Amino acid sequence: MLNVHLVPHTHDDVGWLKTVDQYYYGGESLSLLSVLSLSGPHAGVQYILDSVVEQLLQNPERRFIYVETVFFHYWWRNQPAAMQTSFVNGGWCMSDEATTHYSAVIDQMTLGLRFLNDTFGPCGRPRVAWHIDPFGHAREHASMFAQMGYDGFFFGRLDYQDRDHRRINRDQELLWRASESLEPPMADLFTGILPNGYNPPEGFCWDQSCDDPPIMDDPNLEDYNVDDVVKRFTKIAHSQALMYKTNDIIMTMGSDFQYENANLWYKNLDKLIRYVNAQQANGSQLNVLYSTPSCYLQELHRANLTWSLKTDDFFPYADDAHNFWTGFYSSRPALKRYERVSNGHLQTCNQLEVLGGPWSREGLFGAGDSETLRRAMAVAQHHDAVSGTEKQHVANDYARMLAVGWQHCQVVVSNSLAALSGSSADRVYCDHLNISACPLTEANKKFSVNVYNPLARPVLWPVRLPVNGCAYTVVPVSKATQQVRKDRGYAVNELVFQARAPPLGYTTYFVSMIQNGPPEASVRHGPPASIQNQFVKATFDPATGLLDSLTNLETEQTIRLKQTFYWYNASDGISSVSEQPSGAYIFRPNSSTPFLIPSSGRAESIQTPEVQEVRQQFGPWVSSVLRLYRDSRALELEWTVGPVPIEDSLGKEVVVRLDSSIRSSGLFYTDSNGREVLQRKKDFRPTWNLRQTEPVAGNYYPINSRAFIKDDEDQLTLVTDRSQGGSSIHNGSLEVMLHRRLLYDDVRGVGEPLNETSDVFPLGLVVRGRLLLSLAPPMLAADAHRPLAQENVLQPLLSFTEGAPPPGTLLEFSGLQAALPPAVHLLTLSQWDQDSLLVRLEHQFQTRESKKHSVPVTVNLQKLFSTLKVVGMSELNLSANQWLEEMKRLDWRPNLDGQPLRKPPRDPSALEVTLSPMQIRTFVLRVVRR
Amino acid sequence: MLNVHLVPHTHDDVGWLKTVDQYYYGGESLSLLSVLSLSGPHAGVQYILDSVVEQLLQNPERRFIYVETVFFHYWWRNQPAAMQTSFVNGGWCMSDEATTHYSAVIDQMTLGLRFLNDTFGPCGRPRVAWHIDPFGHAREHASMFAQMGYDGFFFGRLDYQDRDHRRINRDQELLWRASESLEPPMADLFTGILPNGYNPPEGFCWDQSCDDPPIMDDPNLEDYNVDDVVKRFTKIAHSQALMYKTNDIIMTMGSDFQYENANLWYKNLDKLIRYVNAQQANGSQLNVLYSTPSCYLQELHRANLTWSLKTDDFFPYADDAHNFWTGFYSSRPALKRYERVSNGHLQTCNQLEVLGGPWSREGLFGAGDSETLRRAMAVAQHHDAVSGTEKQHVANDYARMLAVGWQHCQVVVSNSLAALSGSSADRVYCDHLNISACPLTEANKKFSVNVYNPLARPVLWPVRLPVNGCAYTVVPVSKATQQVRKDRGYAVNELVFQARAPPLGYTTYFVSMIQNGPPEASVRHGPPASIQNQFVKATFDPATGLLDSLTNLETEQTIRLKQTFYWYNASDGISSVSEQPSGAYIFRPNSSTPFLIPSSGRAESIQTPEVQEVRQQFGPWVSSVLRLYRDSRALELEWTVGPVPIEDSLGKEVVVRLDSSIRSSGLFYTDSNGREVLQRKKDFRPTWNLRQTEPVAGNYYPINSRAFIKDDEDQLTLVTDRSQGGSSIHNGSLEVMLHRRLLYDDVRGVGEPLNETSDVFPLGLVVRGRLLLSLAPPMLAADAHRPLAQENVLQPLLSFTEGAPPPGTLLEFSGLQAALPPAVHLLTLSQWDQDSLLVRLEHQFQTRESKKHSVPVTVNLQKLFSTLKVVGMSELNLSANQWLEEMKRLDWRPNLDGQPLRKPPRDPSALEVTLSPMQIRTFVLRVVRR
C-alpha cells in the first residue's frame, strides 16, 4: 500500500510585497500585475486563520499546519475563546538562512516557541522544522534546529541540478550532519526535500487563487470529472513514489497565502480522499490521508531505513542554469547593516534590563521594554526581510519597526544606566554617528560619554565623535586626538580616542574642549609609503598609491595585497542564452569580467597617535579609508559606495576585491550564519558533479561575518559588519559584493527593480561599511577573527550626557565578577520571568581551528554575575522551550558512519558547566540580587 | 434615529461569462482580463453557499439573502443535513425583463418557489422581489410579482436621468400600478430603487474581490483606521438619507459572486456595526443593523407614508447619455427564437404529460420527463441568457440544455401520443423544419403527420414539408400543393398544406406522393402586381417591385406600406462625444441615418391555391418573402439576414422598416413581456423631462410579441416570433431590429464582441424569422393580434411516422370538451402532483382594446377536459406557492388616487370561474381519468 500524506498548509511571508500588518489584515490590495503573483490579491492572514479554524472544526480528520507565529499571535489575541490547532516550525517567522546571524535566529525562534509554549503547553511544541521557501539552506540552521529538538526538517528550494540528481537516486530524504564540531547526533537533522517545492501537484491546486478545476462529482451536471481526477492523481502519486524511498509520500496542498477560504481546499480534498481511496475496492494500492509533516516523519522513521549523510550545505541555490539566487546575499546593504546593529542593541537592552533590575522597565525615564525590539528583530529575520527581497515600502516598514523598538529600548537603557550609575542626567543616544552627526558633542564643550560593552570580556574600542573644537581632554584617557572631518555632518572635526570598557559593563569618559579652531593633525596629500602600529603594517605602491602589502609584525609574515573596486554589469535579461535579469534575488552579471573603478589618484592621509588613515577616491561615487588604530590587530577598510550611477542604463553590482599572494588553490572559506566555517571550492559542489553555468554568480556564497583564503603559511581573514555575498574567483583573491543598483525586476515575485532611493538619498542610496582584514598563520587566525567578529556584532553602546558626570556618579561598572574565558561568549542574557534569567553560553571556537582555544572550557555560573546570586538553574534546549533532559529526538541512522557516538564532557558540578567547541548551552537561572 | 439596514447579498448570474455548471462549481476560471470583471476569478457558487451558511451559524444576528434558486438547489441536494436560511425573489433565476415572455417567467418563478415551498414550507416563501441587475424593468414583471404575492420589489438599474431626478425628489421608493386592466391593488407593487445599484457604498466593499481596506481595529498595529471608517460611513449614511423619505435606509453589502469567503464580509460588518453604533454613546443618531429587504420593507410600511404612483415602465435603460442598453433587445436573435420555440415545446410537453397519463413518463418509448426542459427553460430566462448578453460558449450551453430538455420531452410526447392514438409506430420530430430539412419526409413516398395543437381553440396552420416529389395527396385534405424550394436542405420541393387541429389535441394527416419530378407550380420572375386572398391584399410597386400597399378586404381599408431593410453602422467607440461602442448590451449607431440595403431587383413569385409568395433579394445577404396563406388574415414577412459582412470593419445592426401612410404622430405601442401594451412616444418619457441624447437608440423599446402604430382609422400591427427591439423613428414608420453583428465589446463585462459564428455558419450567423402584419381598425385590431400572437407562441407540434397510420389508430383527439371562449387562453396545463394538475386560465385581452372581448368571461372547469374529471379545486396565487385566500399583501397608499377599489366579479359557482380582462387565475385541480 502506498500512503500519500496530504499536508494542507499556507505560506505567509512576514512582509514582502506588503508590510506585516498589511498582510495580517489584508489591507492595501495589490495592483493588477501583482494579482498574478503567488500572494494573491488579498493575502489577509486573519482570514486564513479564521477560515481554516472554521474548517477544522467541521471534520476532525482534517489537518492543517501553520508556520509564522507572528501572524498567529496577532490573530490569537483577538480570539474570544481558546481553540486548539497544530504547528510546525514555530519561529516568530520563517527566517532567511543566507543573511541571518545565528544570534538573531535563536532569538526569533525562542520568541515564537515561547509563545506557543505559554499558550498551549507541550502539545503546541512543533516537532518539525519547515523552511519551505528560503532561498538555499544553511548548515548552521540545521545545526540550530537539531539543538532545538526538532525531529526533522523539510524544505522546498535547492539547486536544480542537485534536485534532479537526488530524484534519480531517491536521495531526497537524508541525514544532515550539520556541525563539524558538535558530537553526533547533537547536530544531526533528518532533512526532507518536498516534491513540488511547496506547491500541490500540478492540477490539484484548489485555493481561490488557483485555476485548477474543482472535483465535480454530481453526475447530473455536465462537467462530471471524478474519473479524470482520480486517474490523474493516481498517476502523479505513483510517479512521485519512484523518487522517494518509502511507501509514504508527502504532498503539500497549499502555497503562498492560501486557505483564505479554506472551504475550497477542504471540500475538494475530502472528495479526493474519498474517491481515490474508493478505488481500493477495485484493487488500488493507493491510500490518501490528511496528514502533517510530523505524522509523515513518524512513518519515515518507522520504515527503519538508513539515510545518506550530508555534511555541506545547500548554497548557492539556482533554479536554472542562469538563475543563481546569489544576489540577495548583498541586496539592501543598508537594511542588512541596520538589522545587524539592531541585534547588538537588543542584546545590550536585554542585558541592561537584567542588570538594572525592575527599574529598567519602569524607571526615571518612564516605561520602556525590550519586547518591541525583540519582536521587530524577529520579524526582520524573515526570508523577505533581512534578505533584501521585499518591496521598498516594506523595507521601510521593517526599518521603522526596528527604530520604534530601539526607542523603547533606549528608555530601558537610560533607566538601567541611571539605576546602575546613580546619575539622573538626561542621556542622549547619537544614532547617527555612522554619518558623523551628534548634536550634543558638536554643541557642547564639555560632555560625558558612557561606553557600555555587551561582551563578557573587556574591550578596547575606538570612539569617534564629531566635534567643533580642535583639542580635547578625555578623562580617564590622558590626551585626546582629533582629525579633519569629511563627508557628512556639520562638525568640522572628529574626536578619536580609544575607550576601554569592562565586561558586561561601562566606563564613563569626560570630554572637555581645550582648544577651538582647526585641527592639529596634519592632513597630507597623497598616500604615505606605509602605515603601521605595533601589530600591523600596510604598505602602499608609490606608483599607484594603492595598498601593496600587509604584514603581521608579531608573526613576521607579509603578503602582497591589492585592493580594488569593480562593478559587474547586471544582466538586463536581453540575451540569447537566458532572459534572466539581475534583481533582488538573482545575481547574473552580463560578463564574468567586471569593470574596474579606477582610482582618481586623489588620496590623503592622516597620522595621529590614535589612528592612521589613508583616504582614497575611486571615481565620483566610491571611496575608501584604510585605517589602523593604535591598538588594533586588524586593518580596517571603510568603504563608501553610492549613489551608484544609472544614467548609462546599466545596472551595477559593486564589489571590492582583495588580491593577495596567498596560494589559495581555488579554495575559500565562508561562515554559516556567523558560526561555523565551510570550505568552498570554485566550480565545485561536494555532493554532485557540477555543471557550472555561471562562472561568477555560481561561485558566490553568503558571508555572514567572515570569509578567508589561506595557504600553508598565511590566512587572510575578512570580518564583515553585515551579511554580504562574496567569492574567490581567482587564486589569492577574495571579493565581497558591497552594493547593488539594478534596473529590472528579476521575476521572482517582488515586482520591483532593486533601485534604492530615499528622501535623504534621492539620487540613489549611499552605503558605508567596514571590512576588517587580518593576516595570521592559519592555526592562529581564529584566535583573532572569532573575538573580532563578536566585537563587531556586539559593539559598545555609547550614550552621552551634557557636562561632567554629577558628583556621586558611579563611573565604571561591570556586571560580571570576572571576564569569561576567551573561548566563551555570553550569547544571551535576558530577563525570562520575574525572578529568572535566560542565559546562553557559547564556545565560540570550532574544533581544530585554534591550538589554544579549540578545547573544552568550564564556567562557573555561580561566579558569573557581580550583582546577582544564582539560586536555581535548569538547562534547556537551544530554543528554551523544553527542559534539556526531556528533549528526546527521533534517532536516524546514516548509511555510512564509522564515528562512534561520544558524550560531551561531563560538568564538574551542578553550577560548573563545560562547553565543547561550538557548543551553546541554554539555562534558566533563578536569581536574587546581591 | 436614522436606521441603516445593511443587507448582505450576492449576485450570481445563472450563466454569463461561464456556464451555469461552471459557475456552480467554480470551474473554468477566467482569463486575466476577466479577473477584473465583477464576477471575479473564481465565481464558485457552491463555495459562496458553504461559506455563508457557515458564517450565519456563527452569529444569529447576521442576515443574508439569496436569490437564484437553481444554484441553491444544486447545493441543497448535496447537503448532509437541513439548514435554514432566508430567501428573496425565489425564482429559479433572476429573469431578464426586456426579452422574456410572461409565460416562461411565470413558469420559472413557479419552479423556484415550489422548490422553496417543498423544502422549507411557508417560512421559506420570499416576500420581496429582487431584480437588482436586469437592464431596465418591465411593467408586466411588476404585475406578475404583485399577483405572486410579493410585498415589494427592489432593483438597481434605471435610466440615469430618471435616477437623478428621483434622488433630488426623494422619489426612489414608489408604488407601481403595473396594469391598466387589473383592478388595484391587484397589480400594485411597492418598488424601491437601491442606493448604489446593488453595490456597497464606496469604500465599504469587503469581499475578497474588492480592494477596500478592512477595518483595522487593533490599536497596536500601524494601520488602525476605526475612526476613519466610522467617519466615512457616517457621512455616507447621512448623505443617502437625504435621498430617501424615511429614517430607514438600505445598503446592499455585496455584489456579483461575492461571499465566496463570507468571513471577510461578516467580520468587517460586525465591526462596522459595533463601532458605528458605539458612537450613539456620544450622541450619534445613527444605528446600523443587519437586515433583509423584507425587514427594511416592514419599516417603510410602518412609516405609514403615501408614495408616488407610477404607471409606465423603466425602459429603456441608459447608464449615461450615449449608453442605451437597447441593443440586447435584439442580441442573439437565433437564441431568442430557440428560447421562444422551446417554451412552446415545454407547454406541449406539459399538456401531453397530463393527457397521456402516467404512460407519458414511463411508456412505450422509455422514460421521459418534462422537468429537464422546465429547468432548462427556467435557466434560459436569466438576464444574461435569453437577453443575449452572455459569452458565446455560454450561449451554446443554454442552447444545449434546451436541446437536452426537448429530447427528454420528445419521449414524453411519443409515449403520450402512442397512448392517446393507440399507435406504437416510431415517431420522428423534424426539428430542422425551419431550414427545410426532414429526412423522413424527403425519403418517404408515404408518411403520416400528427399535428398537435396546444391552444385551447382549434387552429388552422400551414404545414410546410421538404419533399422530393411534385404532387401529393394529403388526407384528410383533398389536394396537396407544392412549390419550388430554395435556400437550405437537399429536397427539391416543399409540400404546403393547411392543417386544422382541434383544441388541445391532434389531427393526423396521411401524405402520399402521386407524382415525381419538378413542381407543378410555376415560378414567375419579378413580382406580381399584387397577391391576395379573401381577407388581405398586398400590392407591389411596378417600378421598384417592392411592397406598396396593404388592404384589409373585410374592413375595406388600405394603407400605403413600404418594406425596406437598413443597417445602422455600429459605433466603434472612436468618437469625441463618447467612447461607447455598440455591443451585446448597448445599441449606439454611429449615425441616426441608417444605410439602405438596396433591392437587387431579383424577385420571383409563386402562386398556388394554398399560398402566394413574393421572394425578393436585397444585396447578397438579406432576402425576404412576403407570403399569404389561403385562410390567413395576416401578411407574413419572412426575413433572412446573414452572414452580415464585416470585411469593411463596420459593425452592422440590421433593421426592417415598414413605412406606412398611418398618421402615427410620434406614438407607437409595444407589449410588455407579451401581455399588456404600453404607449411609447418618441423622445419622451412619462415621468420626467427627457433630454434626448441618442435619437435612435434612445427611442428603442423591447417588443416581446407585438408592436403597432395607429391613427383613428388604421392600426398596423406587427406580431413577432421572438423578442426584438424596435421603434418608430418616423411618423407612420415601424422598425424592428433583426440581427446584429458587432466588432467591439461594449465594456459591460461580457468581454466579447457580439460576433456570432458557428461550425454551421463559419462566415457569420444567418438568421431567419417571421413578422406577421395585420391591418385593422384600432378597435378590432386586438381581436386579430391577440390570437395571432398566441398561435405564434404555441405553434402546433408536428410529428411524423413512416407510411400510413396503422389500422385502429385514433386519428384525431381533443383533450377539451369544447374550445374555450376566444378571450380565454389556457396558459398552463401541467402535472402538479400525482393526482393533481396545475391549470392557469388567462383572459388574453386588455380592457378597452376590443369591443367584443374586453369583458369578463366565465369558464366552467368541470366542463373543461374531455378525459379528466375534476374532483377538487383550489385557487392559488400566480406563482402557485400560496393559497389565494391566504395571500395577504402589505397595503401601500399612493399619493394621488381617486380610483375606488373594485373587487373583480364573483364566480357564479365553485367550478365556474370568471376572468376579467388580463386576469390570470391559477388552480390546482384534483382529477381522475374518465
Side-chain angles (χ1 to χ4, degrees), chain A residues 634-696:
Chain A
L635 179 66
E636 179 179 313
L637 194 176
E638 184 181 85
W639 49 270
T640 305
V641 177
V644 179
I646 49 171
E647 295 74 22
D648 54 5
S649 298
L650 302 177
K652 297 183 180 60
E653 324 216 22
V654 183
V655 299
V656 62
R657 200 163 98 190
L658 296 163
D659 290 294
S660 78
S661 53
I662 291 172
R663 298 170 305 281
S664 59
S665 314
L667 298 176
F668 56 109
Y669 301 81
T670 61
D671 65 338
S672 183
N673 298 129
R675 288 249 295 164
E676 290 189 51
V677 171
L678 281 88
Q679 189 189 69
R680 310 297 186 181
K681 187 173 173 182
K682 197 184 162 210
D683 299 331
F684 177 82
R685 303 287 185 266
T687 64
W688 86 92
N689 210 342
L690 175 71
R691 180 167 40 84
Q692 183 59 281
T693 47
E694 283 284 334
V696 176

Side-chain angles (χ1 to χ4, degrees), chain A residues 19 21-22 24-30 32 35-36 41-42 46-48 50-51 54-55 58 74-75 77-79 206-218 220-223 259-265 267-268 271 397 400, chain B residues 19 21-22 24-30 32 35-36 41-42 46-48 50-51 54-55 58 74-75 77-79 206-218 220-223 259-265 267-268 271 397 400:
Chain A
T19 68
D21 291 1
Q22 287 167 348
Y24 176 68
Y25 270 122
E28 201 193 64
S29 286
L30 305 172
L32 166 59
V35 167
L36 295 178
H42 236 100
Q46 59 163 341
Y47 301 131
I48 296 176
D50 284 339
S51 174
E54 201 50 58
Q55 294 297 321
Q58 285 182 29
Y74 283 5
W75 181 83
R77 71 178 173 204
N78 291 311
Q79 287 313 296
W206 286 309
D207 193 74
Q208 65 186 21
S209 63
C210 297
D211 287 339
D212 292 335
I215 296 185
M216 303 191 254
D217 57 346
D218 188 331
N220 296 317
L221 299 190
E222 182 67 6
D223 297 330
Y259 285 82
E260 183 163 334
N261 192 354
N263 174 53
L264 279 69
W265 261 117
K267 187 162 201 165
N268 287 291
K271 291 178 182 176
D397 190 62
R400 181 195 61 77
Chain B
T19 68
D21 292 1
Q22 286 166 349
Y24 176 67
Y25 271 123
E28 199 191 67
S29 286
L30 305 172
L32 168 59
V35 168
L36 294 179
H42 235 98
Q46 59 163 341
Y47 301 130
I48 295 176
D50 284 338
S51 174
E54 200 51 54
Q55 294 296 320
Q58 284 180 30
Y74 283 4
W75 181 82
R77 71 178 172 206
N78 291 310
Q79 287 312 297
W206 286 309
D207 194 73
Q208 67 186 20
S209 63
C210 297
D211 286 340
D212 292 336
I215 297 185
M216 303 189 255
D217 58 346
D218 187 332
N220 296 316
L221 298 190
E222 183 65 8
D223 297 330
Y259 285 82
E260 183 163 334
N261 191 354
N263 174 53
L264 279 67
W265 261 116
K267 186 162 202 165
N268 286 292
K271 290 178 182 177
D397 190 61
R400 181 195 61 77

Side-chain angles (χ1 to χ4, degrees), chain A residues 499-613:
Chain A
R500 182 180 297 272
L504 219 65
Y506 66 82
T507 304
T508 312
Y509 290 87
F510 175 48
V511 180
S512 340
M513 187 167 80
I514 51 177
Q515 194 184 333
N516 223 324
E520 264 180 13
S522 56
V523 176
R524 283 195 300 180
H525 289 280
S530 66
I531 54 176
Q532 77 174 81
N533 64 12
Q534 53 181 318
F535 306 117
V536 177
K537 177 179 180 180
T539 66
F540 295 84
D541 182 338
T544 63
L546 298 177
L547 183 65
D548 193 45
S549 75
L550 183 65
T551 301
N552 181 332
L553 295 169
E554 292 178 289
T555 56
E556 296 185 340
Q557 60 191 143
T558 297
I559 56 168
R560 303 292 305 267
L561 186 61
K562 207 178 140 190
Q563 165 228 348
T564 33
F565 292 95
Y566 293 91
W567 58 274
Y568 289 100
N569 178 11
S571 174
D572 55 9
I574 303 166
S575 150
S576 58
V577 180
S578 152
E579 295 185 345
Q580 179 62 56
S582 254
Y585 305 88
I586 287 173
F587 173 34
R588 184 167 175 240
N590 225 351
S591 156
S592 297
T593 309
F595 292 91
L596 179 72
I597 304 174
S599 165
S600 67
R602 280 195 293 138
E604 52 187 29
S605 66
I606 293 168
Q607 289 192 286
T608 73
E610 291 294 320
V611 68
Q612 300 165 66
E613 294 188 3

Side-chain angles (χ1 to χ4, degrees), chain A residues 259-443:
Chain A
Y259 285 82
E260 183 163 334
N261 192 354
N263 174 53
L264 279 69
W265 261 117
Y266 284 115
K267 187 162 201 165
N268 287 291
L269 287 177
D270 283 350
K271 291 178 182 176
L272 181 74
I273 291 169
R274 185 160 83 248
Y275 292 119
V276 170
N277 290 350
Q279 291 302 313
Q280 291 170 9
N282 305 329
S284 157
Q285 294 285 299
L286 192 59
N287 185 43
V288 195
L289 61 148
Y290 278 118
S291 186
T292 63
S294 308
C295 167
Y296 172 65
L297 195 69
Q298 290 286 354
E299 297 303 316
L300 294 186
H301 188 253
R302 205 186 305 244
N304 200 22
L305 304 176
T306 63
W307 307 90
S308 72
L309 197 69
K310 179 180 172 77
T311 57
D312 64 323
D313 64 1
F314 288 97
F315 286 122
Y317 166 54
D319 61 27
D320 209 339
H322 300 286
N323 313 350
F324 279 84
W325 298 44
T326 54
F328 80 96
Y329 302 160
S330 309
S331 293
R332 301 196 183 279
L335 180 66
K336 282 183 164 67
R337 173 66 184 147
Y338 191 43
E339 184 274 338
R340 185 66 56 91
V341 167
S342 298
N343 181 45
H345 281 157
L346 175 59
Q347 305 311 323
T348 295
C349 183
N350 284 338
Q351 292 177 3
L352 283 169
E353 183 179 2
V354 170
L355 297 174
W359 302 275
S360 310
R361 289 183 292 279
E362 193 68 50
L364 201 57
F365 298 99
D369 67 85
S370 55
E371 189 70 10
T372 307
L373 184 54
R374 187 173 302 116
R375 291 183 183 188
M377 271 299 294
V379 164
Q381 304 314 304
H382 168 59
H383 60 272
D384 291 306
V386 65
S387 64
T389 56
E390 65 282 63
K391 282 187 185 286
Q392 183 62 48
H393 78 105
V394 180
N396 296 345
D397 190 62
Y398 288 127
R400 181 195 61 77
M401 283 191 280
L402 292 172
V404 170
W406 175 228
Q407 283 162 12
H408 286 236
C409 262
Q410 281 181 350
V411 180
V412 170
V413 171
S414 290
N415 285 338
S416 177
L417 289 177
L420 293 173
S421 70
S423 158
S424 60
D426 261 356
R427 201 166 288 275
V428 167
Y429 302 83
C430 282
D431 292 334
H432 298 117
L433 281 178
N434 65 324
I435 55 164
S436 301
C438 177
L440 187 141
T441 62
E442 294 172 52

